[in-house]
Every structure is written in C-alpha cells, then in structure tokens.
C-alpha cells in the first residue's frame, strides 16, 4: 500500500456511509495518517448533550430517537468547526453532510473560502452487517475520551474477587472509564436511523457522483482491510484531483 500522504492541499474529505458502516473508525485512522483533523458532527453533538448546553439539550431528543438534528443547527456547527485554523490543510468529515441542504451549504462554505477540491469516499456496507456492528458497539463513558470498541475485539473483563456478586464490567482500555452502549444504539433507534439514512442521506451518493468526486469503497471485511482500501481510494482520488 502506498504510504506517502496525498499532496493535495487542502485535503477536504467526506466519509459517507450508513450508521455503523465504520465512518468514525476509518475517519480517525485516516485523519492520523493524512495529518488533518477528523470532524464528527455526532461526537460534537454528543459532547454538547453531555455538557447540557442549549444546542446539546435540543439535539439530544433527536439523537436518542434516531432522527436527524435540524439542518440549521448542524450546518452552523460544521461551518464553525471548518473555520478553525487546524482545518486550513484539510479535514475528514465524518457524519456531515447528511442531507442535500447540508451538502449545498458545505459547497457554498468551501467555495467562499476558495476551496474546490473535495474527495467523497462512500463506505459500502449492507444493513444486516451494520446492524451487527452497532449492536456490539461499546463506547467510553468519559466524553473527553469517547473511544469506540466492539465487544468481539475487546479484551475479556478482569474477574472480580469471589463472592462480591457484582456484574463483571469491561473498562476502556484507553482511560479506564466504564464502557456503555450509546442510547441511539437501541434496536428501534437503529431501525429508525437506517430509514433516515436511506431516505435522506443516500441521495448524496448521486449528488456527489454527478459532480465526479465520489469513490465507492467496499466497507466489509476487518478494520485494517477497509483502512487499506480507504487509503488507496484517497490516493487515487488525490492523484486524479
Ligand atoms: P453519528 O455519531 O454520526 O452516527 P452514525 O452516522 O449513525 O454513525 P455511527 O457513529 O453509528 O457509525 P459509524 O459509521 O461511525 O461506525 P463506527 O466506526 O462507530 O450521529 C449520531 C446522531 O447525531 C445522528 O443519528 C443524528 O441524530 C445526529 N447527527 C450527527 N450528524 C448529523 C448531521 N450531519 N445532521 C443531522 N443530525 C446529525 O463503527 C461501528 C461499530 O463497528 C464499532 O463498534 C466499531 O468498532 C465496529 N467496526 C468498525 N469497522 C468495522 C469493521 N471493518 N469490521 C468490524 N467491526 C467494525
């Protein structure tokens, strides 16, 4: 696999894909490798909800029901984040845009900043597979860590001393805080998120395809395998940009 980071600057990348397709996992790896920040609107909204800010309190009800937070709220958050100095050399967007109005707003924001090269990588994973991935997802309960795991790849929990009768608990290998399931990973919320994805976000595939900036990436297989495909797609897109 080519290991030289793409030389396109700014390297503005969008990761598209259904909930649970691995956008967050791959965005984090790609951001480290390409040396640009990962921007997850889901993480920003969850941190705001945990902090109890007015935006966070408003967003929480939508997120827990598996619905999209209104465009005007999310667009403002994304624009503010993209304007930060660390995004001058590019960014990896994870979870934004998710609707056509969001995609149009992003296009205008980038154009106004004189940025035109955009690479869109679509992680292709079927509904059955994403449902399996989401049902096993566990996240760190400390919002400042927010590491993401899957029960299949976590180390076994340490046995508690005999006789205490407590439930054995898995802890975050990064920071030691408890691991929890996200409120919107409950079965009904996941079904709703998939309906929302197919209805409102999937049309963005055609939107970006018609602009000639879309690359499809097979998102099935283990994390390293998908990371290799994502990197190759990025290299190919940046080379042809
Ligand atoms: P957000 O946090 O963006 O959720 P999502 O898009 O539904 O995506 P997920 O975080 O569920 O999954 P992912 O694709 O990142 O997969 P992950 O890497 O974690 O948004 C949450 C909510 O916020 C939305 O529902 C909405 O309410 C609101 N929101 C956010 N942005 C918004 C916007 N722009 N507009 C409006 N509302 C917005 O992986 C999943 C699991 O699989 C993990 O356990 C992981 O370890 C595992 N895994 C990953 N890759 C693999 C692999 N290759 N093989 C096996 N397991 C894998």
């Amino acid at each position: 696999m080519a290991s030289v980071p793409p030389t396109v600057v700014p390297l503005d990348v969008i990761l598209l894909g259904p909930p649970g397709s691995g956008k967050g996992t791959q965005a984090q790896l790609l951001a480290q490798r390409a040396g640009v920040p990962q921007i997850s609107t889901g993480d920003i909204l969850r941190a705001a909800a945990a902090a109890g800010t007015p935006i966070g309190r408003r967003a929480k009800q939508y997120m827990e029901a598996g619905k999209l937070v209104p465009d005007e709220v999310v667009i403002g958050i994304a624009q503010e984040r993209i304007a930060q100095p660390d995004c001058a050399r590019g960014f990896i967007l994870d979870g934004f845009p998710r609707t056509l109005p969001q995609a149009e707003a992003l296009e205008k924001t980038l154009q106004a900043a004189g940025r035109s090269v955009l690479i869109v990588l679509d992680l292709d994973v079927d509904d059955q597979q994403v449902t399996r991935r989401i049902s096993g997802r566990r996240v760190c309960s400390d919002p400042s860590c927010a590491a993401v795991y899957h029960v299949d790849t976590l180390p076994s929990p340490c046995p508690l001393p005999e006789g205490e009768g407590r439930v054995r608990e898995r802890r975050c290998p990064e920071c030691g805080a408890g691991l929890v399931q996200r409120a919107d990973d409950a079965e009904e919320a996941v079904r709703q998120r998939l309906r929302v994805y197919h209805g409102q976000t999937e049309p963005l595939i055609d939107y970006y395809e018609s602009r000639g900036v879309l690359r499809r990436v097979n998102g099935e297989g283990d994390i390293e395998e998908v990371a290799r495909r994502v990197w190759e797609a990025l290299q190919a897109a940046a080379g042809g940009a």
Side-chain angles (χ1 to χ4, degrees), residues 5-47:
T7 50
V8 171
V9 177
L11 186 67
D12 296 342
V13 179
I14 295 174
L15 275 186
L16 276 184
S21 56
K23 298 182 298 298
T25 303
Q26 295 301 331
Q28 192 183 15
L29 295 171
L30 196 53
Q32 282 164 2
R33 202 155 179 205
V36 295
Q38 169 193 9
I39 301 178
S40 159
T41 41
D43 284 351
I44 295 172
L45 290 166
R46 273 185 292 279

Side-chain angles (χ1 to χ4, degrees), residues 102-236:
Q102 291 181 19
E104 286 159 3
L106 175 65
E107 198 165 294
K108 282 194 191 129
T109 303
L110 294 180
Q111 272 168 4
R115 296 163 83 141
S116 59
V117 179
L118 188 66
I119 296 167
V120 183
L121 305 177
D122 177 46
L123 285 181
D124 191 12
V125 183
D126 73 27
D127 284 8
Q128 253 188 337
Q129 179 71 252
V130 296
T131 306
R132 265 201 300 276
R133 287 185 187 175
I134 290 178
S135 67
R137 173 166 51 196
R138 296 295 180 272
V139 296
C140 179
S141 56
D142 179 346
S144 67
C145 172
V148 178
Y149 304 97
H150 193 278
V151 286
D152 289 350
T153 49
L154 273 170
S156 300
C158 299
L160 289 171
E162 254 180 68
E164 288 201 5
R166 288 186 290 167
V167 176
R168 290 192 304 172
E169 180 184 32
R170 284 182 157 126
R171 306 198 73 82
C172 176
E174 283 289 318
C175 74
L179 293 179
V180 292
Q181 192 165 26
R182 265 170 45 178
D184 62 344
D185 282 353
E187 218 175 300
E188 181 45 39
V190 172
R191 273 198 292 271
Q192 170 65 16
R193 283 160 64 200
L194 279 169
R195 279 194 291 272
V196 167
Y197 168 76
H198 290 300
Q200 297 189 61
T201 307
E202 212 167 30
L204 295 184
I205 295 176
D206 286 345
Y207 177 87
Y208 285 118
E209 192 146 50
S210 70
R211 281 161 172 70
V213 292
L214 185 91
R215 300 251 164 182
R216 290 171 198 268
V217 179
N218 176 2
E220 311 228 345
D222 65 30
I223 291 174
E224 289 72 28
E225 205 177 332
V226 179
R228 191 169 54 247
R229 290 187 207 123
V230 165
W231 186 251
E232 284 168 0
L234 181 69
Q235 294 275 351

